Amino acid sequence: MSEICLVLTAATVVENLEIAKRNHSLIDILELRTDLLDEDQYQLLADFPSLIDKPVILTCRKVVDGGLWNKDEKQRREYLLNWMEGDYSYIDLEMDLKNDSAVVEKALSRGITIIRSFHDFNTVPADLYEKMISFADDQKTIVKGAVYPQTSEELFRLIDTALKLKKSDKIDSFILLGMGEFGFPTRILSEKLGSYLTFCSDSHESRGAPGHCSASDLNNIYNFRNITSSTVINSIIGNPVSQSKSPQIHNLGYKKKSIDAVYVPFLTDSPRWFMEIARLLEIHGSSVTVPFKSEIIPLVDHIDKSVNQIGASNTIYRDRHGRWLATNTDAYGLIKPLLDFIGVKDLDSRKVAVIGAGGAARAAVFALLDMGAQVAIFNRTHPKGLELADLFSCRAYPLEESSIEELKEYSSIIVQTTNVGMAPLEHIDPLDFYSFSGDELVYDIIYKPEETLLMKKAAEAGCPVLGGFKMLEEQAYLQFKLFTGIDYN
Ligand code: ATR
């Protein structure tokens, strides 16, 4: 099984011991980054492994390799030889120390496993596979490559290399990880990729390496210990994607329902390359978020009615023949909380105002019409509103004071779908020209902040008010069901 290694990046031994203690139950191995320690700590380092009941990797990383050691190389060798008097389990040595017989012999004589490492902070080298193989100089050495994918295509290359190495008999043990946000999935999926371990941090603000996951997130969000060769991978793609709450929602569901699956965020710049990654990793389903909801459509084998009409898909998954299907759970996610809130099964010709005419409005109009409502669209850019209205054969008006009478007519339910009310527009009320009577039901699909300016104003006038958090949950629950066949709740 791939192990979890916590990188110790504090300036003193005492602080590092505290961090190790705090994460003790979450990790298997510690890496002591001696290059990040204050110099007055060096004398304590031969004793360090005896202060802790986990195997320790001894690492002194130079500036060129992404560390902070900027002193003399001769001194570094001497320190390493000295510190190896302690009971370290591993020593991380870059290629330039390959032929340093004193360091290598000392490690071997002390039973310390050598990790032969190299770093590339710019890319995933085209010859990564050959490079890794060429470093595997004997059976006992663990070869480590830490590379920095900057695109989905480079992440594909990295994953492809790892899977080839996993099958190869030319290499025994290796660690292969991608830095940065594009590389993040490799840190979660190290077991799948055949990596001996994954590195993690005490917190997200680590000096260890960019894109580290915390030990707590690895265990508590991603259920890292349960990932095996048979675990199903689901994902979310988008750009950005790191702020998404979906990994928490889906992975919690897998844990609660004992489903052998993991849900991983993939920062993506090319849905086409993501589909190649999905093929390699046999990804079963994926949430799709901004800006790929339309771009994903030509890449799947079949789209349903919701995608056809909304022109966007937020969910793709495979059927039992391996074909990719696309659907849109945003529409269902939007309508379900509204129906529950009112306590009805459909909207039975109710007149509903939709504020906005963007992607979210399209899903809203589709869902509202599907539930039998009569819809009028109110949008700042009137031609865009008319265009959407034309598509769904409904009405459209400009979002301004001149439309007050029409807004009143359709105001039994007002569905706000624009990003106005959310940071950085949290101080704006898209209906600032309108006074609520108290009879309108106001549904703002924004979930952060929990209460927008519009909701506050409506609530003060006595209107029933619904925010967007339930929509987020409902669309995720439906995705969960599509991915796993099991109800979330
Ligand atoms: P999404 O996919 O989240 O719906 P979108 O497709 O970019 O995003 O649509 C954004 C919606 O918010 C549009 O209806 C936009 O109005 P315009 O068509 O006039 O651009 C609306 N919007 C954005 N900023 C706005 C503002 N300051 N006042 C009113 N509407 C605004």
Side-chain angles (χ1 to χ4, degrees):
M1 289 295 285
S2 192
E3 312 237 41
I4 299 181
C5 177
L6 176 70
V7 184
L8 296 172
T9 57
T12 66
V13 164
V14 169
E15 283 173 88
N16 278 329
L17 287 172
E18 271 167 26
I19 294 168
K21 220 165 152 188
R22 197 156 60 226
N23 291 279
H24 191 268
S25 64
L26 303 172
I27 56 146
D28 308 299
I29 301 176
L30 294 155
E31 180 186 35
L32 182 64
R33 284 285 303 276
T34 59
D35 54 300
L36 304 178
L37 286 163
D38 292 340
E39 202 164 337
D40 62 6
Q41 304 292 301
Y42 292 175
Q43 52 174 332
L44 307 170
L45 300 192
D47 285 333
F48 185 81
S50 65
L51 302 175
I52 210 137
D53 60 350
K54 300 265 182 198
V56 185
I57 303 174
L58 174 64
T59 301
C60 184
R61 183 99 51 238
K62 292 177 292 183
V63 171
V64 285
D65 295 306
L68 283 191
W69 179 272
N70 56 8
K71 298 180 208 82
D72 185 29
E73 180 58 13
K74 195 164 148 243
Q75 241 183 335
R76 187 170 84 112
R77 284 187 66 247
E78 268 161 30
Y79 276 125
L80 285 174
L81 287 167
N82 184 349
W83 295 335
M84 274 195 281
E85 290 299 322
D87 289 330
Y88 287 94
S89 300
Y90 308 86
I91 184 167
D92 183 308
L93 298 174
E94 296 83 13
M95 280 315 281
D96 53 357
L97 286 176
K98 185 173 161 72
N99 297 320
D100 190 317
S101 53
V103 173
V104 170
E105 270 164 31
K106 175 99 183 206
L108 295 178
S109 71
R110 299 276 304 139
I112 300 173
T113 302
I114 295 174
I115 299 174
R116 188 68 73 190
S117 73
F118 78 94
H119 298 80
D120 192 322
F121 287 91
N122 296 312
T123 186
V124 177
D127 60 348
L128 181 60
Y129 177 80
E130 291 74 19
K131 218 169 182 159
M132 293 287 287
I133 294 283
S134 74
F135 290 177
D137 47 10
D138 72 66
Q139 293 292 303
K140 286 201 72 185
T141 307
I142 298 173
V143 180
K144 172 187 158 188
V147 296
Y148 209 137
Q150 312 277 354
T151 61
S152 300
E153 183 180 354
E154 289 192 345
L155 178 62
F156 170 85
R157 190 185 306 153
L158 172 56
I159 291 171
D160 189 41
T161 303
L163 295 176
K164 280 182 184 144
L165 288 170
K166 195 178 166 187
K167 280 197 211 131
S168 170
D169 55 7
K170 297 200 179 98
I171 193 162
D172 212 34
S173 259
F174 68 90
I175 300 166
L176 187 55
L177 290 162
M179 290 180 271
E181 212 189 321
F182 275 104
F184 185 78
T186 65
R187 300 189 181 270
I188 311 296
L189 299 174
S190 61
E191 170 66 22
K192 288 268 187 191
L193 299 178
S195 198
Y196 182 77
L197 57 75
T198 189
F199 292 101
C200 68
S201 311
D202 176 44
S203 74
H204 297 290
E205 290 79 41
S206 163
R207 291 194 286 170
H212 263 195
C213 190
S214 72
S216 144
D217 284 359
L218 268 182
N219 285 275
N220 300 330
I221 295 181
Y222 295 102
N223 308 321
F224 182 90
R225 306 277 187 203
N226 295 338
I227 301 175
T228 65
S229 56
S230 62
T231 302
V232 172
I233 305 173
N234 294 317
S235 61
I236 176 165
I237 63 165
N239 190 353
V241 82
S242 61
Q243 81 302 341
S244 171
K245 294 265 170 291
S246 297
Q248 274 103 313
I249 298 175
H250 284 259
N251 285 313
L252 181 65
Y254 302 154
K255 200 189 273 184
K256 281 201 306 202
K257 299 274 168 158
S258 303
I259 297 169
D260 186 14
V262 60
Y263 183 99
V264 183
F266 282 76
L267 175 67
T268 301
D269 67 345
S270 156
R272 189 170 290 283
W273 275 107
F274 169 74
M275 294 305 268
E276 293 297 319
I277 291 171
R279 181 175 54 76
L280 282 185
L281 291 176
E282 297 175 355
I283 289 177
H284 173 68
S286 188
S287 310
V288 180
T289 186
V290 177
F292 302 123
K293 290 185 180 187
S294 300
E295 222 179 301
I296 199 73
I297 295 173
L299 303 176
V300 301
D301 301 303
H302 179 77
I303 63 171
D304 73 0
K305 179 181 155 204
S306 66
V307 176
N308 190 24
Q309 292 208 15
I310 300 168
S313 165
N314 76 329
T315 311
I316 59 169
Y317 60 106
R318 293 181 202 260
D319 67 9
R320 40 194 184 89
H321 307 293
R323 285 178 307 211
W324 282 104
L325 313 180
T327 185
N328 193 316
T329 68
D330 282 338
Y332 169 86
L334 185 138
I335 206 73
K336 169 100 174 13
L338 180 63
L339 297 177
D340 290 351
F341 191 71
I342 309 174
V344 293
K345 292 233 168 324
D346 63 53
L347 293 173
D348 191 23
S349 303
R350 284 185 204 226
K351 290 190 162 176
V352 181
V354 170
I355 312 302
R362 240 170 116 138
V365 174
F366 167 81
L368 290 162
L369 291 174
D370 203 41
M371 282 295 139
Q374 297 183 58
V375 174
I377 295 158
F378 296 82
N379 195 48
R380 178 180 60 175
T381 309
H382 189 39
K384 235 176 105 182
L386 284 171
E387 208 179 301
L388 184 60
D390 204 31
L391 209 65
F392 287 100
S393 306
C394 57
R395 291 161 186 262
Y397 303 99
L399 183 64
E400 58 188 37
E401 202 157 359
S402 65
S403 306
I404 269 201
E405 286 313 313
E406 289 81 6
L407 187 54
K408 276 187 186 157
E409 188 190 339
Y410 281 86
S411 67
S412 71
I413 301 172
I414 298 176
V415 182
Q416 198 302 112
T417 71
T418 76
N419 47 342
V420 182
M422 181 167 68
L425 305 177
E426 68 274 24
H427 55 283
I428 306 180
D429 165 11
L431 294 183
D432 56 358
F433 57 87
Y434 183 80
S435 301
F436 290 101
S437 69
D439 293 332
E440 304 90 340
L441 190 168
V442 176
Y443 181 13
D444 195 332
I445 68 163
I446 290 172
Y447 64 89
K448 208 173 162 190
E450 255 174 66
E451 186 183 55
T452 61
L453 206 55
L454 173 73
M455 288 164 70
K456 190 164 181 283
K457 196 176 85 175
E460 279 166 7
C463 302
V465 169
L466 177 61
F469 197 75
K470 282 224 149 49
M471 168 179 171
L472 178 77
E473 287 182 335
E474 289 297 345
Q475 65 81 20
Y477 296 163
L478 181 55
Q479 281 181 341
F480 186 89
K481 176 92 196 241
L482 292 168
F483 294 167
T484 64
I486 293 170
D487 285 321
Y488 192 89
N489 287 311

